[in-house]
Amino acid sequence: MYARFGSGEGRTEGTWELLRKAASYGKGLGWVATGALFATILATVARLAGPAYVRQGLDAVDVADRQALFQSVWWFVGALVLQYISQAISQYWVSGVGERYLADLRVRAFRHLIDLDVDFFSRSKAGVLVSRLTSDIEALTQFVKEGAINVVTSILTVIGVTIAMFLIDTSMALAVLALMPILLGVSVVFRIYADRAYEQVREHIGRVLGAIQEGISGVRVVQAYTQEHRQKLEFGRVNERYFDANIAAAKAISAYFPAVDFLRTSGLALILVVGGNRVLDGEMSFGALVAFLLYLNWFFEPIVQISNLYNLLQAALAALSKLLGILDREAAVPEAIDPVPLPEIVGKLTFDRVTFGYDPAVPILHGIDLEIQAGERIAIVGETGSGKSTLAKLAVRFYDPLGGTISLDEVDLVSIGFEDLRRGVALVPQEGFLFAGTLRDNIRYARPDAGDDEIWNVCATLGIAEWVGTLPDLLDTEVRERGSRFSSGERQLVALARALLAGPSVIVMDEATSNLDPETEGVVEAALATLLEGRTAIVIAHRLATAERADRVVVMDDGRIVEIGHHSELVGAAGPYARLSEVWQAAQTSD
Amino acid sequence: MRLLFSLLASYRREAVLSTLSALVWMVMVIIGPYLTKVVIDRAIEGERRDLLLPLVGAVLAAGVIKALGVGGRRYFAFLLSYRAETDLRNRIFEHIQRLEFNYHDEVPTGELMSRSSSDLSQVRLVYAMLPITIANVAMFVVVVAVMLSIDVTLGALVSLAVPMLLYIANTYARRVIDIATDVQQKLADNTAVIAEAIGGIRVVKSYGQEAQETEKIRMAAIGIYERSMELIKNRAIFIPLFELVAPIATAVILGIGGLRVIEGALTPGEFYQFAEYMVILNFPLRLTGWFFAEIPRASAAGGRVLDLLKTAPEIADPAHPVDLPPGPGDVRFSNVAFRYPDGPPVLDGFDLHVPGGRSVALVGATGSGKSTVAYLLARFYDVTGGTVSLDGVDVRSVRLSELRNEVAVVFEETFLFSASIRDNISFGNPDATDDQVRLAARLAQAHGFISDTVDGYESMIGERGYSLSGGQRQRIALARAVLRDPRVLILDDATSSVDAVTEDEIRNALKTVMAGRTTIIIAHRPSTLALADEVIFIDEGKVVASGTHTELLERVPRYSAVLATAEVG
């Protein structure tokens, strides 16, 4: 039954596809919705029938007709059974359809997001993207769960009650309806105040949570500088503003509900006066009066409900438009429609007059020409902003060049299918990002079908099998909160094992900048050497030793390759590389 | 639970006002149908048209009082509950700020966050509901009594609805609350997966594992769907049931009450009164059933909050603090032993003397306890044996503020606040003048890049502000420490996360700030070690050797082993 959630596989779903799906989904929804609406109408009618039977019964009482009295009681009970069944069905259907739609939306929206290009992720704040897929969908959920069914029921009830009241007595019904404009006016005013107040509440709760978060993560600094007292005062101020916002909202609520309550009493008074006179005049039975009074209870409630639901509706609409903002976006790096197959990958990478800029108006790379032979190891060095990271990102097709081509084994990256591309070229962020789950899942991340034998082999090859052997649950060891349980060196080792198991022909690597403690560093270095053996490697180097070991060093400056050659040649050349290597040298020698 | 009520004492005024308003409201709720009954029996059935208007006037008057009661009840209950929540949150925050490093090492941020948000909301809800629940329970008792006094048989029969509905409402609430909590948990898990996929997007993309990540989300979505459907099933069964109770009672009243009216045992007005009471009781009964279902959860949440507040900070000012004498910053560790809770010994028989104004570098393998040494001096942890003293005084006998004012630490991981650069530098000295802040920034070699930012010292940093490089952040942290002008400066691996070029810049900054100040550097880059007068080599919790870097390289094979790989690397 879960097939309809969209399976994990499948291609990128574009906006059009999504809309089409949404529409096709709407067809099924339409049928169920019709059924649910019918059930809701039935439930409302059955409920509204209640007071009518009370009236019948009371009229029977008036003439002391026991038979007729019991008959109306049984009818009443029958209507109640019908009410229960139809209401239960309508509740279940409406909410069930909504839930299914939301479950589908969660998966689709995620799939769409994750298929977008890396560029998009670099430009967006992670927190914002996460909230699109969580709190925005939750806002829709709120409406689907509590809003939809209640809006329908409330509207039907108001209509039904109004009709019922007119059926009993026009003048009384008109008297009650006279209160309607007042109720609506009060509700609108309340809505305006409450919306404003709740907006403040939302804004301030965000600040309070932010302040707590910062207070906790910064607690060591706070204590080191003994600023606990000042922190407390500052937090107190933020917290107090949140309190004020809440009280402003509370005042609106505390004024609105008594007003509605008093309107209800006024309605009762009106009916008693008008209806009382009509009964005394003999124009209406006592039973009709009681029925009318019972209807009155159902007249005000729905309007209050709708006023409350307006909030949910607004939030849902806002969330939907934000969500569509993501769903409407197309991936900037699409997979080729008719990809060139690459059965055997040798690992030759060629940059041919490659130009690129994140913003086309601001070029970052100016005509890069570089031919990297299969199995060659290249170190890219250069200052921050020289374009070395950008070059690496282009090599794995996180971005497409604005001009020129990059090709793997003479095939343009653009025309290689994603699966072949990932087999051919992989970026290995050495910092070692770990996912929640077991160590096994992390190592076989690129090849979820890999067996334990393979994983242990990889570990043995990298020289980390012994370390894994010391872990409490071996490969089943749980990785928590992005690997916080592991040291940064251990995280790097896992990342290397992951890369080795994936086995790409070309590895693009951003060398970790953090200094490990020397013992661990030795292990990491050795593992890295094993991984890179026999593969084409492009390493963004941050230290001398890495550059020394490379077959060729590519020195970049301001988006151009300014020097290229082996370490020993370049040191002698007295160019930019020689200067850089001096700084590095200085960091390693003592006086 | 008792503790939660004891907190109420602080908000006696709001609690009393809200409960009184609720009781006034309750009385008016009960009197309303009675007045209507009087209108029906006396004016309409009694055919006294002259009484109609005055009696309806009484109905309206009761309506005014009732409305005031509703307003007061709501407003004061809000006031009470938000005041309590706000004050508790302040206390939690203050308390968290005072709990020692040991505590924060153990307890994850998320847990403390939920103490101060979702747990507090639970508590607030109970406070907010308390006044109306008191009034509601009173209402049930009075209404049942009134109905029994009107007609014992009918009253007894109809009153059965009260415990029944209360029971159903409670059962429903307990089920739904459990499932809803579970759904919340699943939603949180789902959020974690999404956040992780986005955080690790480069890994996901590098290995083309979009499908695998989607599969995780699909499983999460199915989990949420299945639990939500259970919730919906329960709703579909129970909500129509709640709406049925009052009409069923009305049907009973119609049948039996109708007979009684025919027999003349019940007036038509009393008949109406009965029917109306069932309508009135419906919602309060549901609310009360729900309230009692919430209590276990709320008291668990309240218990967690109070547990947190009761956790006494283990590192606090001494009862009889000694003033720190003026001094050059002479640091002495005598026979110090230390272990983290439940951990193996980190330091054991550790002796170290750093004369005022000297700088030493601590070197050791991971876990050798070199950072611990620094933390013990600032008293972020307390020794488990021996003493640590600053200028001849045991650090445990000095006020924390005084001690930490003289011992400034630059942590391995730089933490900056979401505030302006200026506020970050003057964090420890909020009263510092602009000139002092600039001077500190100059000393830390930070003035240059700060001046290059758009708003200079007023540039905002953090999540929503200017993003700085690791080296720049380090130098701001350094300026923050320098501004304190401490006797002792501790640099805990402060240059580890930057590349060699940046380290070069920071090293220059360090040279200036270390001059004439006792400095403890934890590092393993030879270039940084070179800044210190002396290198102390720590192994297995003890000082095993000291001297210059070159001396140690020659003399101590283990020292070279620990550092060797870095040289080769």
Side-chain angles (χ1 to χ4, degrees):
Chain A
M1 87 173 269
Y2 301 116
R4 65 168 67 93
F5 291 153
S7 70
E9 298 102 58
R11 306 165 298 101
T12 311
E13 268 156 354
T15 313
W16 192 84
E17 175 84 335
L18 201 102
L19 284 177
R20 199 183 62 79
K21 283 270 172 67
S24 73
Y25 212 85
K27 278 176 208 158
L29 188 71
W31 183 82
V32 185
T34 314
L37 186 66
F38 179 72
T40 314
I41 291 174
L42 204 61
T44 309
V45 170
R47 186 148 54 109
L48 292 176
Y53 293 120
V54 173
R55 174 190 184 178
Q56 237 177 44
L58 285 180
D59 288 347
V61 167
D62 245 3
V63 294
D65 184 346
R66 289 188 165 86
Q67 184 98 35
L69 171 64
F70 283 121
Q71 203 170 11
S72 44
V73 170
W74 291 127
W75 274 107
F76 192 178
V77 172
L80 289 178
V81 172
L82 183 67
Q83 178 192 333
Y84 180 80
I85 295 171
S86 49
Q87 204 182 343
I89 291 174
S90 104
Q91 279 262 352
Y92 187 76
W93 270 1
V94 173
S95 309
V97 167
E99 281 297 335
R100 217 171 300 157
Y101 182 78
L102 286 168
D104 193 47
L105 186 64
R106 280 179 211 286
V107 179
R108 263 168 223 266
F110 179 81
R111 178 75 212 208
H112 187 86
L113 179 73
I114 201 102
D115 279 339
L116 291 176
D117 45 291
V118 176
D119 182 32
F120 173 74
F121 286 93
S122 323
R123 280 152 193 260
S124 317
K125 292 222 149 107
V128 174
L129 294 183
V130 173
S131 74
R132 283 295 154 281
L133 292 191
T134 54
S135 42
D136 283 344
I137 290 189
E138 268 4 281
L140 287 178
T141 310
Q142 282 284 320
F143 183 73
V144 167
K145 273 203 179 112
E146 285 151 40
I149 180 88
N150 283 336
V151 168
V152 175
T153 311
S154 298
I155 292 173
L156 284 176
T157 306
V158 173
I159 297 171
V161 166
T162 310
I163 294 173
M165 291 198 301
F166 271 102
L167 283 178
I168 294 175
D169 190 287
T170 314
S171 57
M172 274 161 68
L174 286 175
V176 173
L177 278 188
L179 292 173
M180 182 79 115
I182 305 178
L183 180 60
L184 287 180
V186 169
S187 296
V188 167
V189 171
F190 165 68
R191 208 53 276 159
I192 292 169
Y193 272 98
D195 281 352
R196 229 178 276 159
Y198 280 123
E199 200 185 307
Q200 289 284 309
V201 168
R202 275 193 298 275
E203 190 185 321
H204 286 287
I205 186 63
R207 290 190 189 168
V208 165
L209 293 179
I212 296 174
Q213 170 92 51
E214 192 167 88
I216 298 171
S217 22
V219 69
R220 287 169 181 81
V221 174
V222 171
Q223 292 188 3
Y225 290 91
T226 51
Q227 297 299 313
E228 295 93 335
H229 186 66
R230 184 159 67 101
Q231 283 288 103
K232 171 195 150 187
L233 294 181
E234 273 175 21
F235 178 75
R237 275 194 288 275
V238 175
N239 201 16
E240 197 63 25
R241 278 198 286 274
Y242 174 53
F243 172 80
D244 291 342
N246 271 315
I247 292 305
K251 277 181 185 156
I253 294 173
S254 306
Y256 177 62
F257 283 94
V260 172
D261 194 77
F262 183 68
L263 274 176
R264 200 193 314 245
T265 312
S266 309
L268 173 70
L270 273 175
I271 292 168
L272 283 176
V273 172
V274 179
N277 275 312
R278 312 239 332 141
V279 173
L280 285 170
D281 292 341
E283 288 165 5
M284 192 171 73
S285 72
F286 167 69
L289 177 64
V290 171
F292 206 100
L293 287 174
L294 290 177
Y295 281 131
L296 189 69
N297 286 323
W298 291 332
F299 183 69
F300 289 91
E301 217 43 58
I303 293 171
V304 174
Q305 276 270 13
I306 292 172
S307 153
N308 285 338
L309 291 171
Y310 182 70
N311 233 357
L312 281 181
L313 179 68
Q314 266 191 330
L317 287 179
L320 195 63
S321 84
K322 280 192 269 183
L323 199 59
L324 285 177
I326 284 187
L327 294 180
D328 283 348
R329 183 176 289 275
E330 303 261 10
V333 186
E335 186 168 9
I337 296 166
D338 189 14
V340 178
L342 274 186
E344 300 248 328
I345 300 167
V346 184
K348 181 185 176 191
L349 203 64
T350 317
F351 288 76
D352 182 20
R353 281 166 296 145
V354 169
T355 56
F356 181 74
Y358 297 98
D359 175 353
V362 187
I364 302 219
L365 296 179
H366 315 269
I368 299 287
D369 281 308
L370 181 62
E371 200 173 282
I372 302 168
Q373 299 306 323
E376 191 181 16
R377 193 196 285 199
I378 296 285
I380 306 182
V381 302
E383 287 181 14
T384 311
S386 61
K388 56 185 197 292
S389 307
T390 308
L391 193 70
K393 287 172 194 161
L394 289 174
V396 293
R397 209 182 163 217
F398 279 180
Y399 302 88
D400 281 336
L402 293 178
T405 53
I406 303 167
S407 39
L408 174 65
D409 292 351
E410 315 295 346
V411 181
D412 192 337
L413 292 187
V414 176
S415 26
I416 302 176
F418 279 168
E419 205 169 299
D420 281 341
L421 184 66
R422 296 307 166 217
R423 215 156 42 80
V425 191
L427 179 90
V428 181
Q430 205 188 329
E431 256 83 12
F433 183 93
L434 300 193
F435 295 89
T438 61
L439 185 61
R440 175 188 295 108
D441 291 340
N442 269 287
I443 294 178
R444 64 174 184 189
Y445 185 74
R447 282 186 40 213
D449 56 335
D452 278 9
D453 293 355
E454 277 182 278
I455 297 174
W456 280 111
N457 272 339
V458 160
C459 292
T461 313
L462 287 182
I464 61 169
E466 200 185 324
W467 166 65
V468 176
T470 63
L471 294 175
D473 299 313
L474 305 175
L475 289 177
D476 286 315
T477 304
E478 285 288 333
V479 173
R480 289 208 205 103
E481 285 196 41
R482 302 199 178 162
S484 59
R485 176 187 276 193
F486 294 131
S487 75
S488 87
E490 289 162 349
R491 286 201 293 272
Q492 292 185 20
L493 288 172
V494 176
L496 296 180
R498 181 192 285 156
L500 184 59
L501 187 65
S505 308
V506 182
I507 285 185
V508 181
M509 176 176 275
D510 198 346
E511 188 174 42
T513 49
S514 68
N515 254 10
L516 301 174
D517 81 77
E519 279 178 341
T520 319
E521 177 131 13
V523 182
V524 172
E525 286 294 337
L528 186 57
T530 314
L531 171 65
L532 297 186
E533 206 167 279
R535 290 177 216 279
T536 312
I538 303 174
V539 181
I540 297 173
H542 295 291
R543 54 192 87 168
L544 191 56
T546 315
E548 280 173 350
R549 271 193 300 248
D551 296 321
R552 278 192 294 168
V553 179
V554 171
V555 185
M556 294 199 59
D557 187 34
D558 198 21
R560 290 186 177 80
I561 295 177
V562 288
E563 273 185 309
I564 191 160
H566 187 263
H567 166 79
S568 49
E569 297 164 34
L570 295 183
V571 167
Y577 180 75
R579 281 195 295 279
L580 183 70
S581 111
E582 245 168 65
V583 177
W584 278 349
Q585 198 77 44
Q588 288 190 1
T589 48
S590 58
D591 52 354
Chain B
M1 200 65 214
R2 202 175 306 132
L3 281 158
L4 281 183
F5 279 108
S6 77
L7 268 173
L8 267 181
S10 325
Y11 314 102
R12 209 174 291 125
R13 192 182 73 100
E14 289 84 357
V16 167
L17 284 175
S18 178
T19 309
L20 282 181
S21 313
L23 288 172
V24 167
W25 162 79
M26 185 273 290
V27 170
M28 289 304 136
V29 165
I30 295 173
I31 284 182
Y34 171 75
L35 288 176
T36 310
K37 178 216 111 172
V38 174
V39 172
I40 292 171
D41 284 348
R42 298 281 300 280
I44 301 174
E45 293 288 303
E47 308 206 356
R48 292 279 306 274
R49 208 184 282 263
D50 57 317
L51 283 180
L52 190 59
L53 276 180
L55 285 175
V56 170
V59 170
L60 269 179
V64 171
I65 301 176
K66 185 170 131 204
L68 290 176
V70 170
R73 184 198 83 203
R74 281 183 181 264
Y75 180 69
F76 290 113
F78 276 129
L79 206 57
L80 159 72
S81 61
Y82 281 118
R83 194 67 261 167
E85 187 193 23
T86 305
D87 291 352
L88 271 173
R89 193 182 284 117
N90 275 334
R91 282 174 63 181
I92 290 174
F93 184 85
E94 183 188 2
H95 200 75
I96 289 174
Q97 296 285 300
R98 294 190 194 283
L99 286 169
E100 66 283 348
F101 278 31
N102 256 335
Y103 183 86
H104 289 286
D105 294 343
E106 293 296 319
V107 184
T109 307
E111 203 167 297
L112 293 177
M113 286 298 288
S114 67
R115 272 320 78 77
S116 34
S117 52
S118 54
D119 280 349
L120 275 189
S121 306
Q122 289 279 326
V123 173
R124 187 199 71 218
L125 220 52
V126 169
Y127 282 162
M129 301 278 302
L130 200 58
I132 192 174
T133 303
I134 292 173
N136 278 342
V137 171
M139 186 194 297
F140 306 147
V141 174
V142 176
V143 166
V144 167
V146 169
M147 291 197 298
L148 285 175
S149 75
I150 296 174
D151 187 312
V152 181
T153 328
L154 190 58
L157 205 57
V158 174
S159 297
L160 278 180
V162 172
M164 255 169 57
L165 189 54
L166 210 52
Y167 175 76
I168 298 173
N170 189 256
T171 310
Y172 168 69
R174 268 185 292 124
R175 278 200 209 175
V176 164
I177 287 170
D178 280 352
I179 303 174
T181 314
D182 200 33
V183 170
Q184 282 304 319
Q185 182 56 49
K186 288 197 153 56
L187 284 173
D189 294 346
N190 180 50
T191 304
V193 177
I194 292 173
E196 195 175 70
I198 291 174
I201 189 72
R202 284 154 58 104
V203 178
V204 175
K205 293 268 170 194
S206 294
Y207 294 116
Q209 291 304 313
E210 291 90 344
Q212 190 184 340
E213 292 301 316
T214 309
E215 188 57 25
K216 289 184 195 166
I217 295 296
R218 202 170 71 86
M219 294 317 291
I222 289 173
I224 295 167
Y225 172 79
E226 284 181 341
R227 286 305 259 169
S228 299
M229 284 312 285
E230 277 181 59
L231 204 63
I232 286 165
K233 234 172 265 175
N234 274 296
R235 271 170 195 254
I237 293 170
F238 281 95
I239 298 226
L241 196 59
F242 292 136
E243 295 190 11
L244 217 55
V245 172
I248 285 180
T250 311
V252 171
I253 295 163
L254 181 64
I256 298 174
L259 281 181
R260 314 281 277 178
V261 175
I262 293 174
E263 288 159 9
L266 198 71
T267 69
E270 284 168 341
F271 170 88
Y272 170 80
Q273 197 181 347
F274 260 98
E276 189 64 19
Y277 277 148
M278 287 326 294
V279 173
I280 284 170
L281 284 186
N282 194 17
F283 191 67
L285 282 167
R286 281 168 65 180
L287 202 63
T288 309
W290 180 83
F291 177 81
F292 286 111
E294 265 299 326
I295 279 191
R297 230 158 60 107
S299 51
R304 287 192 292 269
V305 168
L306 293 168
D307 278 348
L308 169 61
L309 290 177
K310 275 190 297 189
T311 310
E314 277 170 22
I315 292 178
D317 282 336
H320 305 287
V322 176
D323 283 339
L324 200 60
D330 183 278
V331 173
R332 190 181 288 276
F333 286 74
S334 314
N335 196 25
V336 165
F338 179 78
R339 61 169 71 210
Y340 292 98
D342 307 321
V346 178
L347 298 178
D348 193 10
F350 182 87
D351 287 300
L352 176 66
H353 178 222
V354 185
R358 293 267 298 173
S359 55
V360 298
L362 303 182
V363 175
T366 305
S368 60
K370 52 193 193 298
S371 296
T372 308
V373 171
Y375 288 171
L376 289 175
L377 181 59
R379 225 192 139 206
F380 293 138
Y381 299 91
D382 271 343
V383 294
T384 41
T387 51
V388 178
S389 56
L390 176 62
D391 287 322
V393 180
D394 188 332
V395 292
R396 282 169 298 181
S397 54
V398 185
R399 257 187 219 90
L400 280 176
S401 56
E402 206 177 339
L403 174 70
R404 291 179 185 167
N405 198 28
E406 296 300 345
V407 180
V409 183
V410 179
F411 292 98
E412 179 176 2
E413 280 180 32
T414 311
F415 183 87
L416 299 180
F417 293 89
S418 314
S420 67
I421 291 181
R422 187 200 190 285
D423 286 349
N424 266 290
I425 294 179
S426 66
F427 182 74
N429 307 57
D431 301 328
T433 64
D434 281 355
D435 287 343
Q436 288 170 320
V437 170
R438 270 158 213 274
L439 182 63
R442 273 181 212 280
L443 284 173
Q445 307 276 316
H447 180 74
F449 76 80
I450 294 172
S451 309
D452 286 345
T453 62
V454 182
D455 297 314
Y457 282 83
E458 297 308 321
S459 297
M460 296 297 290
I461 42 185
E463 176 93 351
R464 274 173 296 177
Y466 202 82
S467 64
L468 299 169
S469 73
Q472 291 171 332
R473 295 165 59 86
Q474 281 289 5
R475 278 174 280 170
I476 288 181
L478 192 59
R480 178 164 69 191
V482 168
L483 186 61
R484 293 277 267 193
D485 192 20
R487 290 182 205 178
V488 184
L489 181 64
I490 296 172
L491 307 166
D492 180 14
D493 243 350
T495 56
S496 71
S497 59
V498 295
D499 61 38
V501 179
T502 314
E503 200 221 349
D504 192 46
E505 294 164 17
I506 297 180
R507 205 165 48 237
N508 289 328
L510 290 180
K511 271 184 203 154
T512 53
V513 302
M514 285 167 59
R517 203 189 303 276
T518 311
T519 311
I520 299 176
I521 306 175
I522 294 157
H524 29 66
R525 275 192 182 148
S527 49
T528 312
L529 296 178
L531 293 171
D533 299 327
E534 192 179 16
V535 177
I536 310 283
F537 182 51
I538 301 173
D539 203 21
E540 291 179 358
K542 285 187 176 62
V543 174
V544 279
S546 59
T548 65
H549 173 62
T550 335
E551 284 167 22
L552 289 180
L553 273 183
E554 286 165 11
R555 264 186 14 228
V556 188
R558 172 88 180 126
Y559 179 78
S560 346
V562 163
L563 285 186
T565 29
E567 291 266 34
V568 178

